Amino acid sequence: MDNISEFIGHFQMPELFIMLGVGLAVLLFGYRLKKIAFFIIWFLLGFIGVTYLMPEIIKLSPEIASNDLYQTLIPIGGGLLLALLGFSIEKLCVGGICFVLVMLVSTQYFGAEMQTLAMSAVVGVVAAGAAVMLMKPATIIATAAAGAYAITLALLALIPNLSFGEFYWPLIIGIAAAGSIFQFLTTKRVS
């Protein structure tokens, strides 16, 4: 859990509010705004992933460590690169969202040891395969889970009294379930 609090500590207030707002939009309207939601989800995953890797990137390049502009632009660039990929390839996007979400949650919650990564990758591949076979339900659940993940990270950073250990999984699961139910109810006649 220390990984998560350290990771979230890198975000500033405007980034957290943007993450909260975008997460809410993807949570509730992910299927209706499929292409936009995929772009946003992939951007968030790329942004969060590159932010998570920034300490390693900074170690490799002293120029980046001394320049705040680079430290701001590199995560945005990573987010945009993944967003453009996700926007263009729908089935790969749904499968990729499921795989990357499994990997991100497992590394942040269980660590980045090789055994954890291998087990997470297997679970991620199975989740991605199932998602491609069941596009509409998978899209709804994947967008709700991605929105719940972004909302949970933002809430845990914005509300310091929330304990990571106690609220991380209940928030993700509860918010994702509520978002999924909302999307299933509001998209009954949408194909």
Side-chain angles (χ1 to χ4, degrees), residues 15 39-51 53-54 57 64 68-86:
E15 293 169 329
F39 186 86
I40 291 169
I41 290 169
W42 278 103
F43 178 82
L44 287 173
L45 292 174
F47 184 83
I48 290 168
V50 172
T51 301
L53 295 173
M54 276 307 287
I57 294 170
I64 294 172
D68 288 338
L69 181 63
Y70 286 154
Q71 292 180 28
T72 302
L73 291 179
I74 289 174
I76 292 171
L80 286 174
L81 285 173
L82 277 180
L84 291 173
L85 171 74

mmCIF file of all heavy atoms in Angstrom, residues 15 39-51 53-54 57 64 68-86:
data_model
loop_
_atom_site.group_PDB
_atom_site.id
_atom_site.type_symbol
_atom_site.label_atom_id
_atom_site.label_comp_id
_atom_site.label_asym_id
_atom_site.label_seq_id
_atom_site.Cartn_x
_atom_site.Cartn_y
_atom_site.Cartn_z
ATOM 1 N N GLU A 15 -4.453 18.053 -11.171
ATOM 2 C CA GLU A 15 -4.436 16.746 -11.809
ATOM 3 C C GLU A 15 -5.421 15.798 -11.139
ATOM 4 O O GLU A 15 -6.093 15.008 -11.804
ATOM 5 C CB GLU A 15 -3.031 16.135 -11.753
ATOM 6 C CG GLU A 15 -2.007 16.881 -12.581
ATOM 7 C CD GLU A 15 -0.591 16.418 -12.301
ATOM 8 O OE1 GLU A 15 -0.297 15.998 -11.160
ATOM 9 O OE2 GLU A 15 0.225 16.478 -13.231
ATOM 10 N N PHE A 39 -10.326 6.754 -25.644
ATOM 11 C CA PHE A 39 -9.243 7.736 -25.703
ATOM 12 C C PHE A 39 -8.867 8.185 -24.291
ATOM 13 O O PHE A 39 -7.692 8.220 -23.933
ATOM 14 C CB PHE A 39 -9.671 8.936 -26.562
ATOM 15 C CG PHE A 39 -8.581 9.935 -26.791
ATOM 16 C CD1 PHE A 39 -7.699 9.766 -27.842
ATOM 17 C CD2 PHE A 39 -8.430 11.032 -25.956
ATOM 18 C CE1 PHE A 39 -6.675 10.688 -28.064
ATOM 19 C CE2 PHE A 39 -7.423 11.955 -26.171
ATOM 20 C CZ PHE A 39 -6.543 11.783 -27.228
ATOM 21 N N ILE A 40 -9.876 8.521 -23.490
ATOM 22 C CA ILE A 40 -9.635 8.999 -22.124
ATOM 23 C C ILE A 40 -9.009 7.899 -21.271
ATOM 24 O O ILE A 40 -8.032 8.140 -20.545
ATOM 25 C CB ILE A 40 -10.941 9.507 -21.484
ATOM 26 C CG1 ILE A 40 -11.398 10.791 -22.177
ATOM 27 C CG2 ILE A 40 -10.760 9.745 -19.981
ATOM 28 C CD1 ILE A 40 -12.806 11.224 -21.807
ATOM 29 N N ILE A 41 -9.538 6.677 -21.351
ATOM 30 C CA ILE A 41 -9.002 5.577 -20.543
ATOM 31 C C ILE A 41 -7.544 5.321 -20.899
ATOM 32 O O ILE A 41 -6.687 5.221 -20.019
ATOM 33 C CB ILE A 41 -9.829 4.290 -20.737
ATOM 34 C CG1 ILE A 41 -11.201 4.442 -20.086
ATOM 35 C CG2 ILE A 41 -9.101 3.076 -20.141
ATOM 36 C CD1 ILE A 41 -12.173 3.336 -20.461
ATOM 37 N N TRP A 42 -7.251 5.226 -22.188
ATOM 38 C CA TRP A 42 -5.878 4.977 -22.589
ATOM 39 C C TRP A 42 -4.973 6.146 -22.210
ATOM 40 O O TRP A 42 -3.819 5.940 -21.844
ATOM 41 C CB TRP A 42 -5.797 4.673 -24.082
ATOM 42 C CG TRP A 42 -6.119 3.252 -24.365
ATOM 43 C CD1 TRP A 42 -7.286 2.764 -24.858
ATOM 44 C CD2 TRP A 42 -5.289 2.127 -24.129
ATOM 45 N NE1 TRP A 42 -7.218 1.399 -24.944
ATOM 46 C CE2 TRP A 42 -6.009 0.973 -24.509
ATOM 47 C CE3 TRP A 42 -4.001 1.962 -23.631
ATOM 48 C CZ2 TRP A 42 -5.478 -0.310 -24.423
ATOM 49 C CZ3 TRP A 42 -3.484 0.681 -23.543
ATOM 50 C CH2 TRP A 42 -4.216 -0.431 -23.932
ATOM 51 N N PHE A 43 -5.500 7.374 -22.307
ATOM 52 C CA PHE A 43 -4.694 8.510 -21.864
ATOM 53 C C PHE A 43 -4.381 8.389 -20.373
ATOM 54 O O PHE A 43 -3.230 8.563 -19.954
ATOM 55 C CB PHE A 43 -5.401 9.849 -22.138
ATOM 56 C CG PHE A 43 -4.602 11.021 -21.633
ATOM 57 C CD1 PHE A 43 -3.564 11.531 -22.389
ATOM 58 C CD2 PHE A 43 -4.856 11.580 -20.392
ATOM 59 C CE1 PHE A 43 -2.789 12.584 -21.919
ATOM 60 C CE2 PHE A 43 -4.094 12.631 -19.913
ATOM 61 C CZ PHE A 43 -3.058 13.142 -20.684
ATOM 62 N N LEU A 44 -5.418 8.112 -19.562
ATOM 63 C CA LEU A 44 -5.204 7.975 -18.114
ATOM 64 C C LEU A 44 -4.239 6.838 -17.798
ATOM 65 O O LEU A 44 -3.344 6.999 -16.952
ATOM 66 C CB LEU A 44 -6.528 7.753 -17.385
ATOM 67 C CG LEU A 44 -7.458 8.953 -17.263
ATOM 68 C CD1 LEU A 44 -8.796 8.535 -16.664
ATOM 69 C CD2 LEU A 44 -6.821 10.041 -16.429
ATOM 70 N N LEU A 45 -4.400 5.695 -18.472
ATOM 71 C CA LEU A 45 -3.500 4.576 -18.220
ATOM 72 C C LEU A 45 -2.067 4.921 -18.609
ATOM 73 O O LEU A 45 -1.120 4.603 -17.887
ATOM 74 C CB LEU A 45 -3.979 3.331 -18.964
ATOM 75 C CG LEU A 45 -5.285 2.715 -18.461
ATOM 76 C CD1 LEU A 45 -5.726 1.580 -19.370
ATOM 77 C CD2 LEU A 45 -5.154 2.247 -17.024
ATOM 78 N N GLY A 46 -1.897 5.571 -19.750
ATOM 79 C CA GLY A 46 -0.555 5.987 -20.165
ATOM 80 C C GLY A 46 0.029 7.030 -19.237
ATOM 81 O O GLY A 46 1.201 6.955 -18.848
ATOM 82 N N PHE A 47 -0.779 8.009 -18.858
ATOM 83 C CA PHE A 47 -0.329 9.068 -17.952
ATOM 84 C C PHE A 47 0.069 8.485 -16.599
ATOM 85 O O PHE A 47 1.140 8.772 -16.068
ATOM 86 C CB PHE A 47 -1.437 10.111 -17.783
ATOM 87 C CG PHE A 47 -1.041 11.292 -16.943
ATOM 88 C CD1 PHE A 47 -0.349 12.342 -17.502
ATOM 89 C CD2 PHE A 47 -1.365 11.347 -15.599
ATOM 90 C CE1 PHE A 47 0.023 13.438 -16.729
ATOM 91 C CE2 PHE A 47 -1.001 12.426 -14.821
ATOM 92 C CZ PHE A 47 -0.303 13.478 -15.386
ATOM 93 N N ILE A 48 -0.801 7.623 -16.034
ATOM 94 C CA ILE A 48 -0.523 7.024 -14.733
ATOM 95 C C ILE A 48 0.685 6.092 -14.824
ATOM 96 O O ILE A 48 1.555 6.108 -13.952
ATOM 97 C CB ILE A 48 -1.768 6.268 -14.201
ATOM 98 C CG1 ILE A 48 -2.858 7.277 -13.824
ATOM 99 C CG2 ILE A 48 -1.423 5.397 -13.000
ATOM 100 C CD1 ILE A 48 -4.216 6.657 -13.557
ATOM 101 N N GLY A 49 0.747 5.300 -15.893
ATOM 102 C CA GLY A 49 1.877 4.383 -16.059
ATOM 103 C C GLY A 49 3.202 5.099 -16.180
ATOM 104 O O GLY A 49 4.191 4.722 -15.543
ATOM 105 N N VAL A 50 3.260 6.154 -16.991
ATOM 106 C CA VAL A 50 4.511 6.902 -17.148
ATOM 107 C C VAL A 50 4.839 7.663 -15.863
ATOM 108 O O VAL A 50 6.008 7.746 -15.478
ATOM 109 C CB VAL A 50 4.441 7.851 -18.369
ATOM 110 C CG1 VAL A 50 5.651 8.765 -18.437
ATOM 111 C CG2 VAL A 50 4.336 7.034 -19.649
ATOM 112 N N THR A 51 3.835 8.182 -15.174
ATOM 113 C CA THR A 51 4.076 8.842 -13.889
ATOM 114 C C THR A 51 4.664 7.845 -12.897
ATOM 115 O O THR A 51 5.573 8.173 -12.138
ATOM 116 C CB THR A 51 2.774 9.443 -13.324
ATOM 117 O OG1 THR A 51 2.267 10.386 -14.270
ATOM 118 C CG2 THR A 51 3.014 10.150 -12.003
ATOM 119 N N LEU A 53 6.506 5.376 -13.656
ATOM 120 C CA LEU A 53 7.879 5.093 -14.089
ATOM 121 C C LEU A 53 8.805 6.300 -14.030
ATOM 122 O O LEU A 53 10.000 6.162 -14.269
ATOM 123 C CB LEU A 53 7.866 4.548 -15.522
ATOM 124 C CG LEU A 53 7.194 3.199 -15.727
ATOM 125 C CD1 LEU A 53 7.115 2.870 -17.209
ATOM 126 C CD2 LEU A 53 7.937 2.109 -14.971
ATOM 127 N N MET A 54 8.280 7.481 -13.726
ATOM 128 C CA MET A 54 9.106 8.700 -13.733
ATOM 129 C C MET A 54 10.339 8.625 -12.835
ATOM 130 O O MET A 54 11.411 9.092 -13.239
ATOM 131 C CB MET A 54 8.270 9.938 -13.375
ATOM 132 C CG MET A 54 7.529 10.541 -14.547
ATOM 133 S SD MET A 54 8.532 10.922 -15.991
ATOM 134 C CE MET A 54 9.417 12.351 -15.428
ATOM 135 N N ILE A 57 12.850 6.935 -14.939
ATOM 136 C CA ILE A 57 13.232 7.774 -16.082
ATOM 137 C C ILE A 57 14.160 8.887 -15.620
ATOM 138 O O ILE A 57 15.152 9.201 -16.282
ATOM 139 C CB ILE A 57 11.972 8.346 -16.777
ATOM 140 C CG1 ILE A 57 11.156 7.212 -17.406
ATOM 141 C CG2 ILE A 57 12.347 9.383 -17.826
ATOM 142 C CD1 ILE A 57 9.784 7.623 -17.907
ATOM 143 N N ILE A 64 16.305 15.446 -17.342
ATOM 144 C CA ILE A 64 14.886 15.386 -16.980
ATOM 145 C C ILE A 64 14.707 15.703 -15.504
ATOM 146 O O ILE A 64 13.767 16.391 -15.115
ATOM 147 C CB ILE A 64 14.291 14.003 -17.323
ATOM 148 C CG1 ILE A 64 14.288 13.808 -18.838
ATOM 149 C CG2 ILE A 64 12.888 13.854 -16.766
ATOM 150 C CD1 ILE A 64 13.913 12.416 -19.282
ATOM 151 N N ASP A 68 11.541 20.766 -14.741
ATOM 152 C CA ASP A 68 10.151 20.486 -14.393
ATOM 153 C C ASP A 68 9.255 20.358 -15.626
ATOM 154 O O ASP A 68 8.272 19.612 -15.604
ATOM 155 C CB ASP A 68 9.585 21.582 -13.483
ATOM 156 C CG ASP A 68 10.163 21.517 -12.085
ATOM 157 O OD1 ASP A 68 10.644 20.429 -11.697
ATOM 158 O OD2 ASP A 68 10.130 22.543 -11.387
ATOM 159 N N LEU A 69 9.582 21.074 -16.685
ATOM 160 C CA LEU A 69 8.783 20.997 -17.903
ATOM 161 C C LEU A 69 8.807 19.576 -18.470
ATOM 162 O O LEU A 69 7.766 19.034 -18.850
ATOM 163 C CB LEU A 69 9.287 21.993 -18.946
ATOM 164 C CG LEU A 69 8.511 22.015 -20.265
ATOM 165 C CD1 LEU A 69 7.062 22.443 -20.035
ATOM 166 C CD2 LEU A 69 9.185 22.931 -21.267
ATOM 167 N N TYR A 70 9.989 18.962 -18.532
ATOM 168 C CA TYR A 70 10.098 17.577 -19.003
ATOM 169 C C TYR A 70 9.321 16.630 -18.104
ATOM 170 O O TYR A 70 8.672 15.712 -18.581
ATOM 171 C CB TYR A 70 11.552 17.125 -19.065
ATOM 172 C CG TYR A 70 12.351 17.704 -20.204
ATOM 173 C CD1 TYR A 70 13.728 17.842 -20.099
ATOM 174 C CD2 TYR A 70 11.744 18.106 -21.389
ATOM 175 C CE1 TYR A 70 14.480 18.369 -21.135
ATOM 176 C CE2 TYR A 70 12.490 18.625 -22.426
ATOM 177 C CZ TYR A 70 13.852 18.756 -22.292
ATOM 178 O OH TYR A 70 14.586 19.269 -23.323
ATOM 179 N N GLN A 71 9.397 16.848 -16.808
ATOM 180 C CA GLN A 71 8.700 15.980 -15.859
ATOM 181 C C GLN A 71 7.183 16.102 -16.007
ATOM 182 O O GLN A 71 6.456 15.179 -15.662
ATOM 183 C CB GLN A 71 9.124 16.293 -14.433
ATOM 184 C CG GLN A 71 10.559 15.906 -14.154
ATOM 185 C CD GLN A 71 10.970 16.218 -12.739
ATOM 186 O OE1 GLN A 71 10.152 16.239 -11.825
ATOM 187 N NE2 GLN A 71 12.260 16.473 -12.545
ATOM 188 N N THR A 72 6.710 17.222 -16.506
ATOM 189 C CA THR A 72 5.280 17.405 -16.758
ATOM 190 C C THR A 72 4.881 16.857 -18.121
ATOM 191 O O THR A 72 3.842 16.205 -18.259
ATOM 192 C CB THR A 72 4.923 18.908 -16.684
ATOM 193 O OG1 THR A 72 5.293 19.400 -15.394
ATOM 194 C CG2 THR A 72 3.441 19.127 -16.918
ATOM 195 N N LEU A 73 5.711 17.094 -19.132
ATOM 196 C CA LEU A 73 5.355 16.727 -20.505
ATOM 197 C C LEU A 73 5.513 15.238 -20.808
ATOM 198 O O LEU A 73 4.755 14.696 -21.623
ATOM 199 C CB LEU A 73 6.184 17.538 -21.498
ATOM 200 C CG LEU A 73 5.865 19.027 -21.573
ATOM 201 C CD1 LEU A 73 6.774 19.712 -22.576
ATOM 202 C CD2 LEU A 73 4.408 19.250 -21.947
ATOM 203 N N ILE A 74 6.454 14.562 -20.174
ATOM 204 C CA ILE A 74 6.676 13.144 -20.477
ATOM 205 C C ILE A 74 5.456 12.292 -20.135
ATOM 206 O O ILE A 74 5.018 11.481 -20.960
ATOM 207 C CB ILE A 74 7.971 12.629 -19.811
ATOM 208 C CG1 ILE A 74 9.172 13.245 -20.541
ATOM 209 C CG2 ILE A 74 8.047 11.106 -19.822
ATOM 210 C CD1 ILE A 74 10.503 12.937 -19.920
ATOM 211 N N PRO A 75 4.833 12.430 -18.944
ATOM 212 C CA PRO A 75 3.608 11.652 -18.697
ATOM 213 C C PRO A 75 2.467 12.013 -19.657
ATOM 214 O O PRO A 75 1.714 11.133 -20.080
ATOM 215 C CB PRO A 75 3.239 11.998 -17.253
ATOM 216 C CG PRO A 75 4.510 12.419 -16.627
ATOM 217 C CD PRO A 75 5.281 13.100 -17.723
ATOM 218 N N ILE A 76 2.351 13.286 -20.005
ATOM 219 C CA ILE A 76 1.311 13.690 -20.952
ATOM 220 C C ILE A 76 1.572 13.045 -22.315
ATOM 221 O O ILE A 76 0.655 12.542 -22.963
ATOM 222 C CB ILE A 76 1.237 15.231 -21.066
ATOM 223 C CG1 ILE A 76 0.715 15.827 -19.751
ATOM 224 C CG2 ILE A 76 0.355 15.654 -22.238
ATOM 225 C CD1 ILE A 76 0.795 17.330 -19.665
ATOM 226 N N GLY A 77 2.834 13.039 -22.751
ATOM 227 C CA GLY A 77 3.188 12.389 -24.019
ATOM 228 C C GLY A 77 2.897 10.903 -23.998
ATOM 229 O O GLY A 77 2.363 10.351 -24.965
ATOM 230 N N GLY A 78 3.221 10.229 -22.896
ATOM 231 C CA GLY A 78 2.914 8.799 -22.763
ATOM 232 C C GLY A 78 1.418 8.551 -22.818
ATOM 233 O O GLY A 78 0.951 7.597 -23.451
ATOM 234 N N GLY A 79 0.655 9.414 -22.170
ATOM 235 C CA GLY A 79 -0.796 9.294 -22.197
ATOM 236 C C GLY A 79 -1.347 9.496 -23.598
ATOM 237 O O GLY A 79 -2.233 8.757 -24.044
ATOM 238 N N LEU A 80 -0.844 10.490 -24.305
ATOM 239 C CA LEU A 80 -1.328 10.755 -25.667
ATOM 240 C C LEU A 80 -0.985 9.623 -26.626
ATOM 241 O O LEU A 80 -1.798 9.254 -27.482
ATOM 242 C CB LEU A 80 -0.767 12.080 -26.185
ATOM 243 C CG LEU A 80 -1.396 13.334 -25.588
ATOM 244 C CD1 LEU A 80 -0.664 14.582 -26.070
ATOM 245 C CD2 LEU A 80 -2.872 13.422 -25.949
ATOM 246 N N LEU A 81 0.208 9.052 -26.500
ATOM 247 C CA LEU A 81 0.580 7.938 -27.376
ATOM 248 C C LEU A 81 -0.346 6.741 -27.181
ATOM 249 O O LEU A 81 -0.835 6.158 -28.151
ATOM 250 C CB LEU A 81 2.033 7.521 -27.118
ATOM 251 C CG LEU A 81 3.096 8.453 -27.682
ATOM 252 C CD1 LEU A 81 4.479 8.013 -27.216
ATOM 253 C CD2 LEU A 81 3.029 8.477 -29.193
ATOM 254 N N LEU A 82 -0.607 6.379 -25.935
ATOM 255 C CA LEU A 82 -1.518 5.268 -25.685
ATOM 256 C C LEU A 82 -2.949 5.613 -26.084
ATOM 257 O O LEU A 82 -3.686 4.770 -26.569
ATOM 258 C CB LEU A 82 -1.466 4.843 -24.217
ATOM 259 C CG LEU A 82 -0.337 3.894 -23.849
ATOM 260 C CD1 LEU A 82 -0.389 3.558 -22.375
ATOM 261 C CD2 LEU A 82 -0.379 2.638 -24.673
ATOM 262 N N ALA A 83 -3.351 6.875 -25.885
ATOM 263 C CA ALA A 83 -4.706 7.297 -26.237
ATOM 264 C C ALA A 83 -4.944 7.189 -27.738
ATOM 265 O O ALA A 83 -6.013 6.750 -28.170
ATOM 266 C CB ALA A 83 -4.946 8.721 -25.764
ATOM 267 N N LEU A 84 -3.982 7.573 -28.539
ATOM 268 C CA LEU A 84 -4.131 7.471 -29.990
ATOM 269 C C LEU A 84 -4.245 6.017 -30.431
ATOM 270 O O LEU A 84 -5.030 5.693 -31.324
ATOM 271 C CB LEU A 84 -2.963 8.158 -30.691
ATOM 272 C CG LEU A 84 -2.941 9.674 -30.545
ATOM 273 C CD1 LEU A 84 -1.665 10.252 -31.128
ATOM 274 C CD2 LEU A 84 -4.154 10.300 -31.194
ATOM 275 N N LEU A 85 -3.501 5.135 -29.794
ATOM 276 C CA LEU A 85 -3.618 3.708 -30.101
ATOM 277 C C LEU A 85 -5.006 3.197 -29.734
ATOM 278 O O LEU A 85 -5.675 2.537 -30.531
ATOM 279 C CB LEU A 85 -2.555 2.921 -29.335
ATOM 280 C CG LEU A 85 -2.709 1.402 -29.396
ATOM 281 C CD1 LEU A 85 -2.303 0.899 -30.771
ATOM 282 C CD2 LEU A 85 -1.903 0.743 -28.311
ATOM 283 N N GLY A 86 -5.451 3.503 -28.534
ATOM 284 C CA GLY A 86 -6.745 3.022 -28.059
ATOM 285 C C GLY A 86 -7.912 3.578 -28.838
ATOM 286 O O GLY A 86 -8.937 2.914 -28.994
#
